[in-house]
Amino acid sequence: MKISINKLKENIRNAGLRVTPQRLAVLEAVNMLGNHPTVEHLLQQLHKRHPGIATGTVYKVLDTLVAHQLISRVKTDHEVTRYDGIMDHHHHVYHQGSDKITDYQDQELDILLQEYFRKHAIPGFCIREVRLQIIGESIEDERNTNDTFPK
Amino acid sequence: MKISINKLKENIRNAGLRVTPQRLAVLEAVNMLGNHPTVEHLLQQLHKRHPGIATGTVYKVLDTLVAHQLISRVKTDHEVTRYDGIMDHHHHVYHQGSDKITDYQDQELDILLQEYFRKHAIPGFCIREVRLQIIGESIEDERNTNDTFPK
DNA sequence: GTGGTTGCAAACCCTTTGCACGGCA
DNA sequence: TGCCGTGCAAAGGGTTTGCAACCAC
């Protein structure tokens, strides 16, 4: 899951952006921190190795990276904005009771949804994307993995 | 879609809450405005008939109503919080380019998802709810008389 | 009566903005 | 060198908070 600095540089350049230390640092931090960091997480991480970086700059860089699809934004109800370094299409699993958000990806599911919406088109509406928010909680007991779906 | 004041009162009381004019007014406004109002929308509406109601109170009342499951919160990336008076399980359709959010409800879809996740349980995770965010845009077509999805 | 609610305004927090300076291409 | 990008600090805007007064039960 770790991407080399050179690969990140290339990604920035390929997006048509100038490669700056700040952009590189933010992009690296989003990828390194992994679990959908908040801006606070990112600032904390960034200040270790780039003490000079300004908060406003981090916000601007994040906006730029999102606009150029190098990262994406994630948000649930009543939460601050988080960021995601993985740009492949995927869904999100929200762990109630902890601040964890994990990714969920399955082609079979996406095909299922695609089929469904092909048959059940919404009149006057063109679907760009269908995202799932899978909400629930982690189970302490490892044996108990195969159950329960909301009624 | 319109619910009587008495029914709303009853809902508040059944939730174990005191029935106050403010709670009644906010709950009524959420239901009356329908299309996932923001706090701003609600305040505008409320000031017409309840000029005295305080902004802070509206926020507190909304929190209370959400906590007691009389309404729910809706949010997408980069948006302010909105509220929903419909508590039945349903999904949301986000209309890019306008601030419209409509509801989507279909039992066949829910059964499909239920089946899917029964077969593809997430290890160590108990699913409470699966929400779809259907993102796309309205098609501008004057021939299309019923271009919005039925609420 | 009395404990839950409200009104009010200040505080808060995350985020955005404006502008002069700095550094990438 | 030209222009995009950054640092900084102040402003913005939605939301929360603290507390005295109020009122639903």
Side-chain angles (χ1 to χ4, degrees):
Chain A
M1 147 80 110
K2 218 169 209 170
I3 305 176
S4 77
I5 299 292
N6 282 337
K7 181 64 183 158
L8 293 179
K9 273 190 193 172
E10 201 185 313
N11 289 346
I12 295 174
R13 196 171 294 119
N14 288 344
L17 293 171
R18 288 190 183 174
V19 178
T20 68
Q22 291 85 347
R23 286 179 178 165
L24 201 51
V26 171
L27 188 52
E28 188 193 5
V30 172
N31 278 284
M32 181 192 304
L33 289 176
N35 189 39
H36 305 81
T38 62
V39 173
E40 199 187 342
H41 295 147
L42 290 168
L43 284 171
Q44 236 170 355
Q45 173 67 21
L46 287 165
H47 282 327
K48 290 182 194 164
R49 291 214 258 161
H50 307 264
I53 198 166
T55 303
T57 298
V58 172
Y59 278 101
K60 282 176 196 162
V61 167
L62 287 167
D63 277 350
T64 307
L65 297 180
V66 169
H68 290 78
Q69 311 194 31
L70 290 166
I71 61 175
S72 67
R73 262 188 253 271
V74 185
K75 196 191 275 189
T76 32
D77 305 348
H78 246 217
E79 267 210 327
V80 295
T81 307
R82 288 160 164 258
Y83 292 87
D84 194 339
I86 298 168
M87 291 305 288
D88 298 335
H89 173 73
H90 63 270
H91 307 289
H92 286 123
V93 181
Y94 296 89
H95 300 246
Q96 289 179 328
S98 81
D99 67 344
K100 213 165 52 170
I101 301 174
T102 51
D103 293 337
Y104 186 90
Q105 195 167 17
D106 187 281
Q107 212 178 4
E108 188 185 330
L109 172 61
D110 290 330
I111 289 169
L112 202 70
L113 289 169
Q114 204 172 320
E115 292 286 309
Y116 171 84
F117 281 108
R118 177 150 41 222
K119 279 187 288 187
H120 301 75
I122 301 173
F125 191 79
C126 169
I127 296 174
R128 275 276 159 70
E129 194 190 348
V130 175
R131 288 189 217 152
L132 259 68
Q133 297 186 310
I134 303 159
I135 299 149
E137 46 197 320
S138 308
I139 303 164
E140 304 293 331
D141 190 339
E142 286 294 323
R143 291 166 305 175
N144 194 4
T145 57
N146 273 356
D147 298 320
T148 42
F149 191 90
K151 72 128 210 202
Chain B
M1 167 81 181
K2 219 168 209 170
I3 305 175
S4 78
I5 300 293
N6 281 338
K7 181 64 183 158
L8 294 180
K9 273 189 194 172
E10 201 186 313
N11 289 347
I12 295 174
R13 195 171 293 117
N14 287 344
L17 294 171
R18 290 189 182 176
V19 178
T20 68
Q22 292 86 345
R23 284 177 179 166
L24 201 52
V26 171
L27 188 51
E28 189 194 5
V30 172
N31 278 284
M32 182 191 304
L33 288 175
N35 189 41
H36 305 81
T38 62
V39 173
E40 199 188 342
H41 295 147
L42 290 168
L43 285 171
Q44 236 170 355
Q45 173 67 21
L46 288 165
H47 283 325
K48 291 182 194 166
R49 291 215 257 161
H50 308 263
I53 198 166
T55 304
T57 299
V58 172
Y59 278 100
K60 282 178 196 160
V61 167
L62 286 168
D63 277 352
T64 306
L65 296 180
V66 169
H68 290 78
Q69 311 194 31
L70 290 166
I71 61 175
S72 66
R73 260 188 255 271
V74 185
K75 197 191 275 190
T76 31
D77 304 349
H78 248 217
E79 267 211 326
V80 295
T81 308
R82 287 160 165 260
Y83 292 88
D84 195 339
I86 298 167
M87 292 305 288
D88 297 335
H89 172 73
H90 63 270
H91 307 288
H92 286 122
V93 182
Y94 296 89
H95 300 245
Q96 289 180 328
S98 82
D99 66 344
K100 215 166 50 171
I101 301 174
T102 50
D103 292 337
Y104 186 88
Q105 195 166 16
D106 186 281
Q107 212 179 5
E108 187 185 330
L109 173 61
D110 289 331
I111 289 169
L112 203 70
L113 289 169
Q114 201 171 326
E115 291 289 309
Y116 171 84
F117 281 109
R118 176 144 43 220
K119 278 187 289 185
H120 301 75
I122 302 173
F125 191 79
C126 167
I127 297 174
R128 276 280 153 70
E129 193 190 348
V130 175
R131 288 187 216 155
L132 259 67
Q133 298 185 309
I134 303 160
I135 299 149
E137 46 197 320
S138 307
I139 302 165
E140 304 287 335
D141 188 342
E142 62 279 4
R143 288 169 309 171
N144 205 339
T145 47
N146 45 337
D147 58 335
T148 54
F149 195 76
K151 346 189 192 173

